Amino acid sequence: MSAELKTISIGMLGCGVVGSQVARLLQSDEQELSERSGALLVLKKIGARSNAAREGINPSMITTDLNSIVNDPEINIVIEVMGGIEPARTLILEAIKNKKSVITANKALLATHGHELFNAADAAKVDLYYEAAVAGAIPIIRSMRESLAGDQITRVMGIVNGTTNYILTKMHEEGRAFNDVLKEAQSLGYAEADPTADIEGHDAAAKAALLASLAFHSTVTIDEVYCEGITGISIDDVNAAKAMGSVIKLLAIAELTVKDEISVRVHPVMLPNSHPLASVRNAFNAVYVESEAAGQLMFYGRGAGGAPTASAILGDLVAVTRHRAYSTVGYGESDYADLDIAPVGDVKSQFFVRLHVADKSGVLAAIAQVFASENISIQTVRQAGLGSDAELVVVTHAATESSLKGCIKKLTDMDIVSKVESVIRVEGLVA
């Protein structure tokens, strides 16, 4: 390695599963990473909640004084892997103010305060990179930020939460109940002790906000993402999907509407088995991008875990280090389009509706009339006798969310309907 290489000092905020992995890889692969970066990379300081020893990490690097990292004049790049909104937001802003480039994996922070952080980075002429914030090691951010910068993205649809995909995979393949698989996911480390952020869709919603912002050059926050989780998905729903040649997935969807608005949402979807995302199993992630020139693109890989996330962070580190070494700055975020968010009621989808009705003549005609009253066309209907009740499974043609909501309200008010069991959106034609 050339003795003339510039030294780039790195500080890190956080030393949990991801942070520890980043630190170990930085130290073990220092020479190779330095050669790729065009500068000598030196991990100088790690901020953590305690000074407790971490395997493979020099204890002298660890400090509980996080401000000492963002204010250290010798540190050039700060890696933030501590998570949460505060104090991460304040620390990153302080680092940027001190002309330090920042690499973060903090999806929740960016989905809430990204506009403020990116503006601060632009004003300070430093980098703010975040590949690890969405889908782990999958290079989706850089691909959309750079490779597809000359194209017009029209839709992004992804499985971006490994916990929910693992649960839905096991329910589909093994016929097991939601709660049973959730306990297994927790025992395997795929789900937290409090799994709310995953199973209620909040984690995926933060990622959806980031993908929508990037794809459509507009500021989208997590509060603007319509969100439904998977806690209402039953084995009966899974079996109904199977019967229709489909599988249920929790999807993050961001797309342009005909009114040039952004529809961004997270919810369960029935996907036909022929769709590329339908085959994504267990804790893997995948993002499916549709654009005018490139067409359909699929990005697939491990979406979480220490090593995959560390890989994405180190990829950002090499890119940012090259900029520091040659006194340049990479691509900033652009919100020039400033598109509005489409009201969720105006968004069109196909719907799967499963309901229990009285088992007598004339019921099917009455149910069909309710759908027609809300201008909803029925694509298929299947009926199964259940003694005094019958189960109807209806799949509609595309209809607005508001029309479907009105239809469900009318159905629940009918004496012949004992219960509307489930309503799930459908992607693509289902026979």
Side-chain angles (χ1 to χ4, degrees):
M1 188 181 299
S2 170
E4 298 178 0
L5 284 183
K6 185 177 182 178
T7 297
I8 299 293
S9 292
I10 302 159
M12 190 160 67
L13 303 172
C15 198
V17 173
V18 174
S20 297
Q21 186 74 10
V22 170
R24 286 191 286 267
L25 289 173
L26 262 174
Q27 293 174 94
S28 63
D29 299 342
E30 180 181 289
Q31 181 173 343
E32 187 168 351
L33 287 170
S34 296
E35 289 174 345
R36 294 178 188 175
S37 304
L40 180 61
L41 294 175
V42 177
L43 179 59
K44 182 180 180 184
K45 200 179 294 185
I46 301 171
R49 293 177 181 174
S50 75
N51 289 313
R54 273 83 170 173
E55 183 180 353
I57 298 174
N58 187 339
S60 66
M61 290 184 181
I62 299 175
T63 178
T64 58
D65 183 3
L66 304 186
N67 284 296
S68 71
I69 294 177
V70 297
N71 290 308
D72 187 334
E74 294 184 1
I75 288 178
N76 309 108
I77 299 173
V78 171
I79 298 173
E80 185 272 310
V81 285
M82 61 190 299
I85 304 299
E86 290 291 357
R89 171 185 163 275
T90 299
L91 289 166
I92 289 176
L93 286 172
E94 187 68 15
I96 290 171
K97 177 184 172 184
N98 291 328
K99 302 294 184 180
K100 305 182 192 306
S101 291
V102 174
I103 297 163
T104 179
N106 197 330
K107 56 189 172 289
L109 176 61
L110 292 176
T112 308
H113 296 287
H115 184 68
E116 175 187 24
L117 297 173
F118 289 123
N119 281 348
D122 286 343
K125 293 183 170 52
V126 297
D127 286 318
L128 175 56
Y129 272 41
Y130 59 102
E131 185 68 67
V134 180
I138 301 173
I140 185 62
I141 299 299
R142 186 169 286 106
S143 297
M144 292 173 62
R145 201 181 201 186
E146 301 177 17
S147 301
L148 294 172
D151 205 342
Q152 176 69 49
I153 294 174
T154 56
R155 194 179 205 212
V156 181
M157 186 165 66
I159 297 168
V160 294
N161 181 272
T163 301
T164 51
N165 202 50
Y166 179 86
I167 292 171
L168 292 172
T169 298
K170 294 300 181 182
M171 290 178 70
H172 183 87
E173 296 181 356
E174 300 176 10
R176 294 162 60 192
F178 172 85
N179 287 331
D180 178 37
V181 183
L182 173 58
K183 290 177 182 176
E184 178 181 274
Q186 289 172 316
S187 69
L188 293 172
Y190 291 141
E192 301 289 342
D194 180 1
T196 303
D198 292 321
I199 63 176
E200 294 295 351
H202 305 316
D203 173 81
K207 297 168 183 175
L210 296 181
L211 290 171
S213 298
L214 191 56
F216 306 122
H217 310 286
S218 301
T219 298
V220 180
T221 66
I222 190 170
D223 293 337
E224 295 172 306
V225 180
Y226 175 81
C227 185
E228 286 182 22
I230 65 168
T231 53
I233 301 298
S234 69
I235 283 297
D236 289 336
D237 295 326
V238 170
N239 289 336
K242 281 185 180 181
M244 297 189 300
S246 298
V247 62
I248 299 175
K249 298 291 186 183
L250 183 74
L251 295 187
I253 301 173
E255 61 187 349
L256 284 179
T257 72
V258 293
K259 295 181 180 179
D260 257 354
E261 295 176 325
I262 302 170
S263 167
V264 55
R265 57 199 192 274
V266 168
H267 50 65
V269 171
M270 281 193 178
L271 280 176
N273 292 333
S274 58
H275 195 284
L277 288 173
S279 61
V280 178
R281 302 174 58 253
N282 295 329
F284 278 80
N285 282 193
V287 180
Y288 188 75
V289 179
E290 298 177 18
S291 66
E292 289 185 354
Q296 300 168 334
L297 304 168
M298 176 94 154
F299 300 82
Y300 170 85
R302 294 190 180 276
T309 306
S311 170
I313 288 169
L314 293 177
D316 278 350
L317 179 62
V318 169
V320 172
T321 299
R322 286 172 179 165
H323 302 156
R324 301 290 300 203
Y326 299 106
S327 301
T328 62
V329 177
Y331 297 91
E333 297 310 303
S334 170
D335 58 1
Y336 72 88
D338 194 25
L339 300 178
D340 292 329
I341 304 299
V344 69
D346 294 346
V347 176
K348 283 192 171 185
S349 299
Q350 286 182 271
F351 292 93
F352 161 95
V353 181
R354 186 166 62 86
L355 63 160
H356 284 173
V357 299
D359 190 6
K360 59 184 182 181
S361 63
V363 168
L364 185 56
I367 296 295
Q369 181 57 43
V370 171
F371 279 90
S373 72
E374 293 291 336
N375 296 315
I376 301 173
S377 173
I378 293 176
Q379 180 178 359
T380 62
V381 61
R382 179 171 59 83
Q383 180 175 350
L386 294 171
S388 61
D389 279 351
E391 182 177 84
L392 285 183
V393 174
V394 177
V395 177
T396 75
H397 288 287
T400 65
E401 294 271 348
S402 59
S403 294
L404 195 282
K405 184 177 180 180
C407 179
I408 297 302
K409 174 65 169 62
K410 290 180 180 179
L411 290 172
T412 56
D413 289 341
M414 297 177 75
D415 291 337
I416 59 172
V417 176
S418 57
K419 187 177 182 181
V420 177
E421 292 285 353
S422 54
V423 177
I424 304 172
R425 293 154 191 86
V426 175
E427 175 66 25
L429 297 177
V430 179

